[in-house]
Amino acid sequence: MMVANENIAAGARSSSPLLWRVALLCGLIQMLDGYDLISIGLAIPSLAKEWSLPSAAFTPAFVSSSIGIMVGAMLAGPAADLFGRKPTLLISVALFGLFSLASAWANSLPMLVALRFVTGIGIGGVMPTTVALTSDYTSDRWRASVVMLMFTGGAIGGFFAGQIAAQVLPHWGWQGIFYVGGVAPLVLLMVLIPALPESPQFQSGVRPPSAKKNPVKSLFVDGLALTTILLWAIFLINLMDTYLINYWLPTVLNLEGFTPSEAAFATSTFPAGAIISALLLGPIIARYGAERTLATSLLIGAISIGIVGLVRLPIVPMMVALAIAGGGFIGSQNGLNGLAAAAYPSETRATGVGWALAISRPGGIVGPIVGGALLSLGLPPIQVMLFVCGPGLVTAALVALLAVRRRRHAEMTLTRATAAMDGVGPAVR
């Protein structure tokens, strides 16, 4: 009965101005989060030149950022489920804003590595909390689509990061990238404090008894164990691909002959593809289901990045292929976040999304390491992008398998509910 009431309430809210205010504010947070996420990759070509270091030497900065994101997601998910979405979100925004700003004053590689680790904690904390808060205001049917649109803010931030970097690098140097990435979240924080509402169940103060239990353990009960494991594997592999591309694409293009500004501009088409895909995939997901749509999108992304790695394309066709690949990898990941939110009840939703994102972080660590290792082998730089094709195909297959699993789980749940009603029917009558 509680679940039914929750779904009815969510359905009533799904068209309300309050939902769109929450989605907009969370989308703005994601936009700045997405900017800060790839800002380090955009700064590396200039940093390598100024500090007289090879590009591969900055791999620890990528790794520390990914580890920080993992820690942030693992801590923020349970914290948001136990203590509230809003305070967890505000602390996370303050954290990545302050330490991104501090990165502008880094004067050594170890200092940069440390600052990016703490910045990553803030970035990781934002990810599951925005998904959970938006999901709490959205009906079941539209949850994956609305969360996907909200999470597209990260792709928009990544797109503008490339555009902004292309403008500030000639004037302010690499420091300008971090100035923007630090000041903007701190300004937004002043808006969020009065304008962002708390999740309905925390406003009411009445929460189900299961909300007081271990939220991580709840991911493996009531038939959710296999769903959780599949989601973790999907998130991990897709993030490995996405981070390899995000972190190394500017450097790869620079080594192929583009200037740092040109490489930053071309790189911006990768997250731009995710923006377009969100507009296309949202209604399709609502009509045909998330798993089928996302599996197809991932397949297209793998094929597109394979073309980039195999064929030396002119700049315009290459940017088109990168945009399609971005729609496949980043756009699908945005949809996967919504799918994960839909897979768990509200009392463990932030934990479910947070731990899926956290478990995926080793993929975010391995991806940049593999990219650096491939560059060190002396391969033609653009061929580094070929590595992501195989894992991309595996991810698409796992999403299709998840569709089968979730359908069977829904059938089993319905059978149990029907049996329970039949069992108490005569006694009630």
Side-chain angles (χ1 to χ4, degrees):
M1 180 66 70
M2 182 172 294
V3 174
N5 289 339
E6 176 190 317
N7 290 339
I8 292 170
R13 290 191 297 265
S14 64
S15 60
S16 70
L18 185 58
L19 163 64
W20 297 114
R21 170 158 47 115
V22 170
L24 176 61
L25 290 174
C26 288
L28 289 173
I29 296 170
Q30 281 294 331
M31 187 183 303
L32 300 181
D33 201 56
Y35 177 101
D36 277 333
L37 181 64
I38 73 167
S39 61
I40 181 64
L42 295 170
I44 292 304
S46 298
L47 272 167
K49 182 178 180 180
E50 182 173 321
W51 291 359
S52 300
L53 292 172
S55 298
F58 289 88
T59 300
F62 295 152
V63 173
S64 68
S65 179
S66 292
I67 294 174
I69 294 171
M70 177 177 66
V71 172
M74 292 182 76
L75 294 176
D81 281 333
L82 292 173
F83 306 113
R85 320 301 200 205
K86 183 173 180 177
T88 305
L89 195 51
L90 295 179
I91 292 171
S92 299
V93 172
L95 203 59
F96 82 75
L98 287 170
F99 282 88
S100 179
L101 184 61
S103 299
W105 284 276
N107 55 21
S108 67
L109 184 56
M111 183 178 180
L112 181 66
V113 169
L115 289 170
R116 296 314 296 177
F117 170 74
V118 185
T119 304
I121 293 177
I123 292 172
V126 159
M127 291 177 174
T129 316
T130 52
V131 172
L133 184 57
T134 303
S135 297
D136 290 346
Y137 280 93
T138 313
S139 66
D140 287 346
R141 181 184 177 190
W142 287 98
R143 183 167 291 131
S145 299
V146 173
V147 169
M148 183 178 184
L149 288 170
M150 179 277 297
F151 222 83
T152 302
I156 296 173
F159 170 76
F160 280 111
Q163 305 299 311
I164 291 170
Q167 300 303 316
V168 303
L169 279 169
H171 304 288
W172 296 348
W174 59 268
Q175 292 93 339
I177 296 174
F178 295 125
Y179 290 148
V180 176
V183 172
L186 298 178
V187 172
L188 180 61
L189 188 65
M190 298 300 102
V191 176
L192 295 174
I193 292 173
L196 187 69
E198 179 55 279
S199 180
Q201 65 259 34
F202 285 96
Q203 289 181 14
S204 65
V206 179
R207 307 188 67 209
S210 58
K212 301 177 182 179
K213 297 180 181 179
N214 184 339
V216 178
K217 183 178 179 181
S218 299
L219 306 182
F220 296 92
V221 299
D222 298 328
L224 287 173
L226 184 55
T227 296
T228 295
I229 292 170
L230 283 172
L231 281 170
W232 287 3
I234 291 165
F235 273 56
L236 187 149
I237 299 171
N238 194 54
L239 213 70
M240 177 181 67
D241 283 349
T242 302
Y243 270 50
L244 189 153
I245 298 170
N246 263 335
Y247 281 156
W248 285 115
L249 186 58
T251 298
V252 163
L253 295 179
N254 182 235
L255 293 173
E256 287 287 328
F258 295 94
T259 67
S261 295
E262 291 170 339
F265 182 80
T267 299
S268 68
T269 59
F270 181 64
I275 303 170
I276 299 171
S277 74
L279 299 175
L280 296 175
L281 294 181
I284 298 174
I285 288 174
R287 181 176 177 85
Y288 296 104
E291 294 93 337
R292 185 189 310 176
T293 305
L294 295 175
T296 303
S297 178
L298 286 163
L299 178 61
I300 293 172
I303 294 171
S304 299
I305 202 66
I307 293 173
V308 171
L310 284 172
V311 183
R312 287 186 175 273
L313 298 170
I315 181 65
V316 173
M318 182 187 68
M319 292 173 69
V320 171
L322 287 173
I324 296 173
F329 289 103
I330 305 177
S332 296
Q333 183 60 54
N334 293 341
L336 289 169
N337 294 329
L339 177 60
Y344 298 106
S346 62
E347 59 266 22
T348 57
R349 184 167 292 144
T351 302
V353 177
W355 274 68
L357 289 166
I359 295 299
S360 70
R361 285 305 120 182
I365 296 168
V366 170
I369 292 174
V370 170
L374 292 174
L375 281 175
S376 299
L377 291 175
L379 295 173
I382 200 67
Q383 289 189 9
V384 171
M385 297 295 109
L386 279 176
F387 174 82
V388 303
C389 294
L393 297 175
V394 172
T395 309
L398 289 176
V399 173
L401 180 61
L402 179 63
V404 176
R405 170 57 191 164
R406 291 195 70 208
R407 184 166 58 250
R408 290 180 179 174
H409 180 258
E411 291 171 353
M412 291 172 60
T413 302
L414 180 61
T415 300
R416 290 196 195 103
T418 303
M421 292 177 64
D422 290 343
V424 300
V428 173
R429 287 193 294 268

